[in-house]
Amino acid sequence: MNRFNVRKVAVLGAGVMGAQIAAQLVNCKVPVVLFDLPTDAGPQTSGSKSGIAMRAIENLKKLKPAPLGVVADAALIQPANYEEHLGLLADCDLVIEAIAERMDWKLDLYQKIAPALNPAAIVASNTSGLSITKLSAALPESIRPRFCGIHFFNPPRYMSLVELIPTPTTEPGILDQLESFVTTAVGKGVVRAKDTPNFVANRVGIAGMLATIHEAGKFGLSYDVVDDLTGKKMGRASSGTFRTADVVGLDTMAHVIKTLQDNLADDPFFPSYATPPVLKRLIEQGALGQKSGAGFYKKVGKDILRLDPDKGEYVAGGGKADTLVERILKKPAAERLKLLRESSNPQAQFVWAILRDSFHYVAVHLHEIAECARDVDFAMRWGFGMKQGPFELWQDAGWLQVAQWVKEDIEAGKALCAAPLPQWVFDGPVAAAGGVHRPEGSWSAAHARFVAPSTLPVYQRQAFPETVLGTDAPAPLKAGTEEFRNEEIRVWSLDGEVLIASITAKLHLISPAVTEGLLKAVEIAEAGYKGLVIWSPDDVFSAGANLESLLPVFMKLGAKGIAPEEKKLQDAMLRIRYAQVPVVAAMRGLALGGGCELAVHCARRVAHLESYVGLVEVGVGLIPGGGGLAYIARRAAEMAGAGNAKADLLQFLSDGFTNAAMAKVATSALEARQMGWLLPDDVVVPHKDELLFVATAQARAMADSGYRPPHRATFQVAGRNARATITGQLVNLRDGGFASAHDFHIASLIADVVCGGDVDAGSLVTEEYLMTLERKHFCSLLEHPKTQERIMGMLQTGKPVRN
């Protein structure tokens, strides 16, 4: 298959979804043109008729959660309109139509753009439920083989799922090309859906939300209690059910429900698709959820009120699950479902009911909505934030036993409809295998066989792709050849060329055991490998130093007992920086405090787009103590020295100081690059499961290119005058009430380190010299009562103490 080379993408429609799809493309460095209707030119649009698109691009800067990794990148989206700029379509290899969910509007637009399209371009409609086959009928026959549906989930930056929907005339190779692009270049999890109403995730998810509303009313549960039950306690998105509806928009939810009502009259579950009266009332009142300020919930000041549907009023919220049910939900799957079903507690009965309804629904509909059960489970994981899809949970709890319970409830009239479970549930390969997922593949009800995962080349880049229960896929931390292990780190290799160090401690906190393991990894890599990659198979690189592990030493010897441990950590950072092989940090998720320091001392960083990086030690009343401040000072000197003219070091130091003193955290890998935690040569990877592949490829390429570590060199520091300037600014913050006395004290110590202490401007220092200052101030703060308050508060509550 030839590579699908996407030079530019056109997004048609600058509404909420279209603009945010454009933003995600820009995040991934894909050039994009955002089209919308022409408007009369006005002063607010600088005389352009692309005012709608321009305003949508400007609005991206204000949205929360932020659709852009870096706000300034909004300027990279090119605004356009259908009257003046159709000629731009000739340069676009992919056209994503994302206008309103109106069949007539979409068909009219297709007629307009068809003559201007690049003859080889893929055209895709971003719709949440309209028939892709009907949409394709409006296109010329020459375009139909390159047309399909593409369904991004909102918000596109953060939701992993993208559904691809072919028509009978879509060329299979076109879909393969688009799947490869969306996976690698845009970083999404792709599920291929059949062209049925609402496709896979919304079909199952909205049916589940309707079932939840029905069962909540049946058992008399308030919305806040339901959300507490159906959120993290059930391994689902923390927003639960009704908060999720508010975030999505009640009008949007009603639209998706109407698609079910209009197209599925023969569905045995059709009666359950009726619009809930409370939803209808809220929409009639203009209470559309979060965007209108009220829905199932309403924020009044700092309080979140919930709707009481019987009174029609908003009342105090905060209801929680019963302790008994909370305990049950922590049990293993088989025991959990048995206890829920047999309990007389209404909350437990409710949870069993919605799980039974979901098992019933996906079994009945599998053959028509998805190629196999794996697609359903991935769709619900990636689109609705579930830890386990419905088929996975069913299989985990005991396939035939759960099937029997569901069958009994259907026969007793407790289920949403009387349709029996399909016969394949009880007889044949699924029953014999104990579930729908097996090592050879997942069950396809349409084809009556197990279907293997995709073999597209794009997935060969994923050493450990996301898998479903029952596939017996190798666990990353048990794979490969192990070279060293202790209780908090594993050092291993997949290919015998690049060594991998995986921190296994909780949140991958850096303890003396981790430091020992990292030093051992460098030693092993230098002896027989091309490079070393620091990578772990979850969404934390490292959340920092493990303060709790040092408490016994501190209690016995005080700060003087911590100083040697701190020096060991600093020495390990320098050992990594000056290793004879390239050390690559493969970053994903949190890289905070010591995690950030570990990353910046590596020869290169390969970061997943969703990486959150920063020095946050001031939150526990400390300064960075693992070389982070020495790094800030060194980088300032390097940047100042890069120019020909004599530079003011303080100018280059200012941002680094502020980031550390205010514990600023980059909210994306792109922002981390802006803040200096990533350098221009570092690599940002859109897809989390390609991170290890890219990191090992970088380490191998650096080695093959003759990598040598940097020279140990002295560099200039800003000195006492710069320190005085910063301190003066801090005094104003303190005296103005913007910083506490302790925050002022900590920030002054940070300034002392990054400026080089009490020396003249331009003095030459070493990293070791600055690390000695770091260590001295770090240990002095450990003795400070207010720092001790902050540390204990964080250890006990997980939240920062402000004092």
Side-chain angles (χ1 to χ4, degrees):
M1 183 182 71
N2 293 330
R3 180 172 178 266
F4 179 40
N5 186 25
V6 179
R7 297 165 298 169
K8 187 179 289 186
V9 176
V11 177
L12 312 181
V16 173
M17 281 302 291
Q20 291 198 58
I21 291 169
Q24 177 62 8
L25 290 166
V26 164
N27 288 339
C28 299
K29 302 306 176 194
V30 178
V32 60
V33 186
L34 181 62
F35 281 84
D36 213 298
L37 295 168
T39 57
D40 292 332
Q44 75 276 17
T45 58
S46 305
S48 169
K49 288 189 176 183
S50 301
I52 295 175
M54 292 171 71
R55 284 190 289 272
I57 293 167
E58 190 62 27
N59 192 50
L60 288 171
K61 302 175 184 178
K62 306 169 190 172
L63 291 179
K64 299 293 179 185
L68 290 160
V70 173
V71 168
D73 281 355
L76 300 177
I77 303 173
Q78 182 179 353
N81 67 79
Y82 304 122
E83 182 180 304
E84 300 175 305
H85 302 121
L86 285 182
L88 295 175
L89 292 174
D91 296 326
C92 296
D93 300 295
L94 172 61
V95 177
I96 299 174
E97 171 270 304
I99 68 171
E101 297 280 285
R102 283 274 301 268
M103 181 75 76
D104 53 340
W105 291 359
K106 289 178 185 283
L107 298 180
D108 181 64
L109 178 60
Y110 294 172
Q111 295 291 337
K112 185 180 296 182
I113 66 168
L117 291 172
N118 177 335
I122 295 176
V123 182
S125 174
N126 182 74
T127 173
S128 60
L130 294 179
S131 169
I132 304 302
T133 302
K134 287 182 181 178
L135 289 172
S136 72
L139 289 165
E141 284 191 26
S142 61
I143 298 174
R144 290 178 196 171
R146 293 179 283 108
F147 178 79
C148 65
I150 186 169
H151 182 208
F152 284 83
F153 271 63
N154 192 22
R157 173 181 165 186
Y158 301 96
M159 299 303 292
S160 177
L161 179 63
V162 168
E163 293 174 317
L164 296 184
I165 309 97
T167 74
T169 56
T170 305
E171 284 185 8
I174 292 295
L175 219 62
D176 291 347
Q177 289 180 331
L178 187 55
E179 180 168 350
S180 299
F181 171 74
V182 170
T183 300
T184 286
V186 192
K188 297 302 171 188
V190 172
V191 164
R192 295 196 187 187
K194 295 185 179 183
D195 191 11
T196 55
N198 294 337
F199 312 129
V200 179
N202 273 345
R203 175 74 175 271
V204 176
I206 294 300
M209 291 177 80
L210 288 169
T212 300
I213 294 171
H214 169 79
E215 302 290 1
K218 179 178 170 182
F219 289 101
L221 303 183
S222 61
Y223 301 145
D224 47 358
V225 169
V226 169
D227 280 349
D228 191 50
L229 285 166
T230 59
K232 286 186 176 180
K233 289 182 174 66
M234 280 184 66
R236 299 182 177 184
S238 58
S239 51
T241 302
F242 294 99
R243 280 190 181 85
T244 297
D246 275 358
V247 171
V248 169
L250 304 191
D251 52 341
T252 302
M253 182 178 174
H255 170 79
V256 178
I257 293 171
K258 190 172 189 305
T259 302
L260 298 175
Q261 296 168 347
D262 291 347
N263 295 282
L264 295 172
D266 295 331
D267 189 322
F269 285 79
F270 183 77
S272 70
Y273 300 151
T275 305
V278 63
L279 180 64
K280 187 176 179 182
R281 281 199 307 273
L282 286 169
I283 293 172
E284 288 171 350
Q285 294 164 9
L288 305 180
Q290 190 170 282
K291 59 187 171 187
S292 67
F296 289 109
Y297 295 92
K298 181 178 182 180
K299 188 171 183 180
V300 179
K302 293 184 178 180
D303 297 325
I304 304 292
L305 305 182
R306 66 165 175 86
L307 179 68
D308 183 325
D310 296 328
K311 297 179 181 178
E313 301 172 355
Y314 288 94
V315 299
K320 298 291 183 183
D322 289 346
T323 304
L324 168 68
V325 181
E326 195 170 351
R327 285 202 302 268
I328 292 174
L329 291 175
K330 293 178 181 177
K331 302 284 186 182
E335 185 180 358
R336 185 192 327 151
L337 266 60
K338 183 176 188 295
L339 290 171
L340 288 169
R341 186 171 188 267
E342 294 176 353
S343 174
S344 59
N345 183 293
Q347 292 184 15
Q349 292 175 341
F350 160 78
V351 174
W352 161 251
I354 62 172
L355 290 175
R356 174 204 63 217
D357 294 341
S358 72
F359 300 150
H360 189 191
Y361 192 87
V362 295
V364 168
H365 292 98
L366 176 59
H367 72 286
E368 64 178 290
I369 64 172
E371 183 69 10
C372 68
R374 178 179 54 252
D375 291 336
V376 173
D377 282 341
F378 276 158
M380 299 313 294
R381 276 208 225 161
W382 296 338
F384 279 80
M386 294 183 176
K387 285 187 177 177
Q388 280 186 314
F391 283 117
E392 284 184 289
L393 176 57
W394 183 349
Q395 182 166 330
D396 195 17
W399 183 264
L400 287 176
Q401 176 61 78
V402 173
Q404 183 60 34
W405 288 337
V406 174
K407 179 176 183 288
E408 290 171 7
D409 277 14
I410 295 170
E411 292 170 350
K414 296 178 180 179
L416 290 176
C417 80
L421 290 173
Q423 195 57 39
W424 58 259
V425 170
F426 298 98
D427 297 320
V430 171
V436 292
H437 301 306
R438 299 292 299 155
E440 63 267 29
S442 294
W443 182 251
S444 170
H447 301 293
R449 60 181 172 84
F450 290 101
V451 174
S454 171
T455 57
L456 284 178
V458 65
Y459 296 115
Q460 307 310 309
R461 294 163 58 92
Q462 301 177 6
F464 302 101
E466 203 165 331
T467 58
V468 287
L469 179 87
T471 56
D472 295 340
L477 296 181
K478 293 182 179 178
T481 302
E482 188 171 293
E483 293 276 17
F484 172 82
R485 176 194 284 272
N486 66 23
E487 64 273 20
E488 295 190 356
I489 196 166
R490 181 180 190 242
V491 180
W492 56 290
S493 178
L494 272 175
D495 59 9
E497 288 192 339
V498 177
L499 195 64
I500 303 166
S502 299
I503 304 173
T504 57
K506 183 180 179 182
L507 294 175
H508 306 163
L509 296 175
I510 300 171
S511 66
V514 171
T515 303
E516 174 205 3
L518 290 172
L519 288 171
K520 187 70 175 175
V522 172
E523 179 187 324
I524 295 169
E526 287 179 335
Y529 286 87
K530 288 186 173 183
L532 170 64
V533 170
I534 303 172
W535 171 86
S536 296
D538 57 24
D539 57 0
V540 178
F541 177 70
S542 171
N546 188 338
L547 297 176
E548 197 167 4
S549 70
L550 296 175
L551 269 180
V553 177
F554 181 74
M555 297 300 289
K556 184 177 180 181
L557 300 172
K560 68 179 181 181
I562 300 299
E565 297 299 329
E566 196 66 13
K567 187 173 189 308
K568 287 179 188 175
L569 176 62
Q570 294 173 335
D571 289 345
M573 297 297 179
L574 293 178
R575 180 77 175 91
I576 287 168
R577 172 166 163 74
Y578 295 107
Q580 294 302 305
V581 294
V583 182
V584 177
M587 305 162 66
R588 172 180 160 203
L590 301 180
L592 304 177
C596 174
E597 291 172 313
L598 176 58
V600 299
H601 282 90
C602 291
R604 182 156 295 173
R605 285 137 296 279
V606 174
H608 180 234
L609 180 64
E610 298 304 329
S611 295
Y612 310 107
V613 190
L615 298 176
V616 296
E617 285 83 354
V618 297
V620 288
L622 294 168
I623 68 168
L629 300 183
Y631 168 81
I632 289 171
R634 174 171 60 79
R635 278 297 297 155
E638 289 169 351
M639 288 187 290
N644 294 322
K646 189 174 181 180
D648 177 9
L649 252 177
L650 182 57
Q651 168 189 341
F652 293 94
L653 197 60
S654 178
D655 286 347
F657 163 78
T658 302
N659 292 337
M662 297 185 67
K664 285 188 175 181
V665 175
T667 56
S668 70
L670 304 178
E671 190 176 18
R673 177 174 277 145
Q674 271 195 336
M675 293 171 65
W677 306 129
L678 268 64
L679 302 182
D681 288 343
D682 293 335
V683 181
V684 176
V685 178
H687 199 292
K688 63 180 178 61
D689 291 337
E690 295 187 358
L691 188 63
L692 181 59
F693 170 84
V694 176
T696 52
Q698 287 285 312
R700 193 179 296 111
M702 291 169 75
D704 290 344
S705 301
Y707 174 81
R708 297 293 301 168
H711 288 290
R712 291 180 179 264
T714 57
F715 50 88
Q716 292 186 340
V717 287
R720 65 175 70 86
N721 289 343
R723 181 185 63 183
T725 300
I726 294 174
T727 304
Q729 296 168 347
L730 293 173
V731 168
N732 292 335
L733 288 173
R734 181 196 62 193
D735 293 349
F738 297 104
S740 70
H742 196 46
D743 285 329
F744 169 80
H745 177 56
I746 297 167
S748 299
L749 297 181
I750 292 174
D752 187 56
V753 177
V754 298
C755 292
D758 190 17
V759 297
D760 294 334
S763 294
L764 295 174
V765 303
T766 63
E767 290 164 296
E768 288 88 348
Y769 165 80
L770 291 175
M771 286 182 173
T772 300
L773 270 181
E774 267 188 5
R775 195 163 64 249
K776 170 188 168 187
H777 293 325
F778 183 93
C779 291
S780 72
L781 284 167
L782 282 173
E783 303 280 12
H784 200 294
K786 289 195 177 293
T787 285
Q788 292 173 6
E789 283 179 21
R790 291 191 183 187
I791 291 173
M792 293 310 296
M794 180 63 75
L795 291 176
Q796 290 169 1
T797 68
K799 296 178 181 178
V801 173
R802 289 295 168 207
N803 55 7

